[in-house]
């Protein structure tokens, strides 16, 4: 959903969130994010919050899914560091783990593809909890861009749109952004509008 500041994009997303729940979609309400890992952390926390009253046995699975995702992301970064610095992978893993745990490093290299993998795995748990799927309402990427940089966030949005265009599953991401940020993204990635419109919900 696109619109200028103050035109009600977030309100519209709240409406979508409410209507989704009425249709048994486990929808994550719109939230602001300033780190890529905020997305996976918020989604995992909300899914646990929603399913815990009726399906406490599945909460552990959500936690395990998140920890596996986080661990594999750190391992991928460690492998890249080991290659770049020509050091032992175990040493690189120790360095990356320590930096992430002390918040000295953010997982800014988190790709849209990896996030879609995570959503796919969580959607299977949501379905077992009685929902028809999982929907993430991702709000205001331009705020994240102030922290992470326009280039990083725009690449991430394109990767999300591209991956969701190519895959089928009971999960999705609903993006909200101002017109000028969208125009900047579209200038950098000319195929972005077609990717975003591929599900006919632009």
């Amino acid at each position: 959903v696109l619109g200028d500041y103050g035109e009600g994009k977030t309100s519209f997303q709240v409406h979508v969130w409410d209507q989704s729940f009425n249709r048994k979609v486990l929808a994550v309400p719109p939230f602001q994010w300033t780190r890529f890992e905020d997305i996976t952390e918020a989604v995992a926390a909300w899914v646990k919050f929603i399913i815990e009253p009726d399906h406490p046995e599945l909460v552990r699975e959500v936690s395990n899914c998140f920890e596996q995702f986080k661990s594999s992301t750190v391992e991928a970064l460690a492998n890249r560091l080991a290659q770049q610095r020509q050091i032992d992978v175990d040493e690189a893993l120790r360095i990356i783990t320590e930096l992430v745990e002390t918040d000295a490093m953010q997982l800014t290299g988190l790709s849209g593809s990896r996030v879609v993998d995570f959503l796919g795995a969580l959607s299977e748990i949501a379905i077992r909890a009685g929902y028809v799927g999982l929907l993430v309402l991702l709000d205001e990427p331009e705020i994240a861009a102030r922290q992470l940089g326009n280039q990083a966030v725009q690449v991430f949005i394109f990767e999300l749109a591209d991956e969701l265009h190519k895959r089928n599953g009971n999960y999705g991401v609903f993006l909200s952004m101002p017109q000028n940020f969208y125009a900047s993204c579209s200038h950098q990635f000319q195929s972005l509008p077609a990717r975003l419109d591929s599900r006919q919900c632009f």
Side-chain angles (χ1 to χ4, degrees):
V1 60
L2 304 180
D4 291 329
Y5 292 100
E7 286 191 336
K9 296 184 300 296
T10 301
S11 297
F12 181 70
Q13 281 202 320
V14 170
H15 172 71
V16 171
W17 171 65
D18 178 62
Q19 293 298 305
S20 298
F21 256 107
N22 289 340
R23 291 162 174 77
K24 291 299 286 180
V25 176
L26 202 169
V28 181
F31 60 94
Q32 288 183 6
W33 48 288
T34 56
R35 307 174 306 154
F36 292 118
E37 56 265 43
D38 286 346
I39 299 168
T40 51
E41 288 173 6
V43 172
W46 184 257
V47 170
K48 286 195 288 188
F49 172 73
I50 292 299
I51 68 174
E52 186 171 27
D54 296 324
H55 297 278
E57 75 283 1
L58 295 177
V59 171
R60 176 63 63 107
E61 290 191 38
V62 175
S63 295
N64 289 343
C65 184
F66 176 69
E67 289 305 321
Q68 286 173 4
F69 170 82
K70 189 174 176 182
S71 174
S72 62
T73 301
V74 168
E75 286 171 12
L77 289 172
N79 285 328
R80 194 181 318 155
L81 178 64
Q83 288 177 349
Q84 290 173 346
R85 299 289 172 87
Q86 297 182 342
I87 60 175
D88 183 67
V89 174
D90 289 337
E91 175 64 12
L93 185 60
R94 185 193 65 74
I95 293 168
I96 296 289
T97 301
E98 185 177 305
L99 290 171
V100 169
E101 287 177 353
T102 60
D103 286 331
M105 175 185 178
Q106 297 179 0
L107 301 179
T108 54
L110 200 56
S111 70
S113 176
R114 297 274 298 125
V115 170
V116 172
D117 288 342
F118 179 66
L119 298 182
L122 278 191
S123 71
E124 293 175 10
I125 298 172
I127 290 166
R128 286 167 53 207
Y131 292 89
V132 297
L134 176 68
L135 178 63
V136 177
L137 293 131
L138 203 54
D139 202 14
E140 300 184 334
E142 75 280 6
I143 292 176
R146 291 179 203 153
Q147 181 79 19
L148 301 169
N150 277 340
Q151 174 77 13
V153 173
Q154 291 176 2
V155 166
F156 180 76
I157 287 172
F158 178 77
E159 287 177 348
L160 268 184
D162 192 49
E163 287 297 320
L164 291 165
H165 169 72
K166 293 187 290 190
R167 302 191 195 196
N168 286 308
N170 294 318
Y171 55 91
V173 178
F174 198 111
L175 289 162
S176 167
M177 66 186 91
Q179 295 275 10
N180 60 350
F181 189 79
Y182 170 72
S184 177
C185 290
S186 300
H187 179 74
Q188 183 171 350
F189 299 100
Q190 294 182 359
S191 60
L192 179 63
R195 294 290 191 275
L196 290 173
D197 201 32
S198 65
R199 301 294 182 188
Q200 290 83 49
C201 59
F202 204 153

